[in-house]
Amino acid sequence: MSTYLPNIGPDSVSSVRQSTTNLESEDKKEEVYHQENVNDVGLPVGHGHLVDENLVRAENEDKVTPYFVFLISIAAVAGFLFGYDTGIVGSALPMVGTDLGHELDDNEKEIITAGTTIGALFGALILGSYADKLGRKWAMAIADFFFTAGAIIIASSFSVAQMIVGRLVLGVGVGGAAVIGPLYIAELAPTAVRGRCIGINAFFIPFGQVIASALGAGFDAGVDYKIGWRILFGLGVVPSIVQLCLMHWLPESPRVLLLRGQPEKAKDTLRTIYSGAPEDVIDFKLKVIAQYVEATTIMQRQFSLKERAKKYWSHKPYRRALIAVCGMQAFGQLTGYNTLLYYSGTIFGLLGLKNGAAAGLIPSGGNALFLFIGMSLVDRVGRRKLMMRIYPGMLIGLVWAIISFHYLAKTTGGVLEAGNTYPPALVGSLLGAILLFVASFGLTYSHMIWYQSEFLALEIRAVGSAISTCFCWLANLVVSVAYLTQLRTLGTVGTYGMYLGFISCGYVFVYFCYPETKGLSIDETRQIFEDDFGVKKADAMLKEKRQIAAGLHSQA
């Protein structure tokens, strides 16, 4: 790809930005105007809401270098840890037996499973809120510490209380990683490949779950349960220690460096990301980022913590952006996918499958495969378009599963009973329904919820990511803490009928509140929510960008 706007130097960007920022009231609402200096190439100025960063592409910006692959992969280890430590419980917990003093009942299993979710709420809120002060890089390092400590506590547990404490500690790391990983990657990745880069982190989550299921299946078949479950939980320390050891080679986000008043270090990071780009393009990109960093410093300088917290809701563009990302996170969890993950050993064991842990590879493996396909398509197809086209597959898959559950449990009062023999044809039908549901989930929610940083203005990006991730874990808690109880009280049809209702509501939410961000730089997406949820405005911005880019190409 050739440079869209050649020969841009520092002098030519002196008139790029004209901005006023006022967040004191909705009567004097924040206004940030960005003016392209496109008249230098004989083109008309746009409508005043486009940002230059996406038009000024470095040479081969959409080609990812080996170093950048290394950088994103190491950052995405946080996603792997997230996936492994949330997925391993489904395989390891059935192996515990009486090792914690007695046979675990359903309530204890639910509390142990939900312990990570509760810890993740605190981890997301605390580490996300301090991500600007700590920096993205060291916030991830703190998350690694909690991953390591939690895994050690769990693996050495000899009581239910100790295991719950370990799961809570581990959860702090999971919650921090869920916020910081995609936030860090979104701020480093070039616009042209940002979706795929965030998708790598999202892919590592189900990949970690696949590894957890595969190890669980192997240990279930050939390792003494008394040591097997301890090893499975303890293995979580390996990737966290690896990431800690490699943290030295990860650069800090250029936006954080600018917040700290370190423009030269920020420029060095940009040179690393856009290797081979001319110095004038690096300067231009730095200036574009600096425009938005200024908004953050103004907000922190003028408002107290309490006033800033109030502004997140009272300032309408912030509120709309937060509703969009929080809604996506919550509805992604309320699909019920995680019930298949956390309780795979229990569910497939009740269905009569000999190795329930191996059967757990169906949801985790299917999710990983189709998430990989989805993240490969997202920058070409678009976020919203992919959601709207694939979402009905989840609805169809869940309806199919409900019908299968109805006939499977018809003779047992609507519940699955251990020791009961179920017709292989109906079990096969249920597995087919689960696969369709998981495939659709993998193509959509599984990675789409982690694009949350794209929707949030820099001044609320870290805290907003923390808030939305808390909604993820709150919804996850609703699913994980009550699932086995729901199966007993509502039955299989009632339980998954409830999830079908949640998914239907989620489809309506996506239609009205989830705008397209494909092709928009991470800083200019803030413009989308100025007047409403921006579904139409985003389309208009993208159309104008294509027109200007085409004009610039014709002048090149």
Side-chain angles (χ1 to χ4, degrees), residues 270-545:
L270 290 174
R271 288 192 188 105
T272 301
I273 295 170
Y274 303 100
S275 59
E279 195 67 15
D280 52 1
V281 172
I282 297 295
D283 286 337
F284 194 93
K285 287 180 176 291
L286 187 67
K287 287 178 182 290
V288 171
I289 295 171
Q291 295 173 14
Y292 292 94
V293 170
E294 186 177 328
T296 300
T297 58
I298 288 173
M299 191 170 183
Q300 291 177 345
R301 194 166 57 241
Q302 292 184 352
F303 300 103
S304 67
L305 178 62
K306 183 178 180 180
E307 289 171 332
R308 291 200 300 270
K310 181 180 178 182
K311 193 65 64 178
Y312 298 149
W313 183 256
S314 63
H315 188 57
K316 291 181 181 178
Y318 293 168
R319 182 170 72 232
R320 295 181 190 115
L322 285 170
I323 289 173
V325 295
C326 290
M328 282 291 289
Q329 284 281 14
F331 282 117
Q333 297 302 314
L334 293 174
T335 58
Y337 165 77
N338 282 327
T339 64
L340 302 174
L341 181 70
Y342 296 160
Y343 299 104
S344 57
T346 301
I347 296 171
F348 294 119
L350 289 173
L351 289 172
L353 300 180
K354 292 182 179 179
N355 192 326
L361 286 168
I362 296 172
S364 60
N367 183 29
L369 171 63
F370 286 98
L371 187 153
F372 182 81
I373 296 171
M375 62 171 262
S376 302
L377 295 173
V378 73
D379 281 322
R380 284 176 283 179
V381 177
R383 284 71 157 152
R384 176 180 171 82
K385 193 175 290 184
L386 199 60
M387 285 292 293
M388 296 306 298
R389 289 180 177 178
I390 305 299
Y391 204 112
M394 279 189 287
L395 296 169
I396 296 170
L398 210 51
V399 170
W400 180 4
I402 289 170
I403 294 171
S404 299
F405 272 127
H406 170 74
Y407 286 104
L408 272 169
K410 196 172 183 179
T411 60
T412 54
V415 297
L416 298 176
E417 291 186 354
N420 194 52
T421 301
Y422 295 100
L426 287 176
V427 173
S429 174
L430 178 61
L431 294 179
I434 289 173
L435 187 57
L436 174 59
F437 169 79
V438 168
S440 304
F441 178 84
L443 288 167
T444 54
Y445 273 129
S446 190
H447 61 110
M448 218 72 77
I449 61 175
W450 301 114
Y451 298 119
Q452 57 193 17
S453 300
E454 295 184 334
F455 293 85
L456 301 167
L458 178 61
E459 60 268 26
I460 68 165
R461 189 171 297 151
V463 175
S465 295
I467 293 170
S468 62
T469 305
C470 281
F471 271 78
C472 165
W473 293 115
L474 282 169
N476 183 286
L477 184 62
V478 171
V479 170
S480 60
V481 79
Y483 177 68
L484 295 178
T485 302
Q486 289 167 350
L487 283 182
R488 288 198 312 269
T489 57
L490 300 178
T492 52
V493 173
T495 299
Y496 285 97
M498 178 181 65
Y499 293 131
L500 179 62
F502 288 141
I503 292 175
S504 300
C505 292
Y507 192 50
V508 175
F509 178 86
V510 169
Y511 182 83
F512 288 105
C513 301
Y514 189 70
E516 182 59 76
T517 57
K518 169 198 169 188
L520 298 175
S521 76
I522 190 173
D523 290 314
E524 68 187 307
T525 51
R526 62 180 292 144
Q527 310 289 339
I528 292 174
F529 298 100
E530 286 180 347
D531 302 312
D532 51 31
F533 282 96
V535 173
K536 292 182 179 179
K537 183 171 185 176
D539 291 340
M541 290 175 70
L542 288 165
K543 182 178 180 181
E544 185 179 354
K545 288 180 77 85

Side-chain angles (χ1 to χ4, degrees), residues 89-113:
V89 68
S91 299
L93 202 57
M95 299 181 186
V96 172
T98 59
D99 287 358
L100 300 182
H102 60 273
E103 193 78 34
L104 299 176
D105 60 32
D106 285 350
N107 289 334
E108 288 173 325
K109 289 178 182 177
E110 288 173 337
I111 294 171
I112 290 171
T113 301

Side-chain angles (χ1 to χ4, degrees), residues 142-157:
I142 292 172
D144 282 330
F145 169 78
F146 281 97
F147 274 124
T148 304
I152 292 171
I153 293 171
I154 296 168
S156 60
S157 292

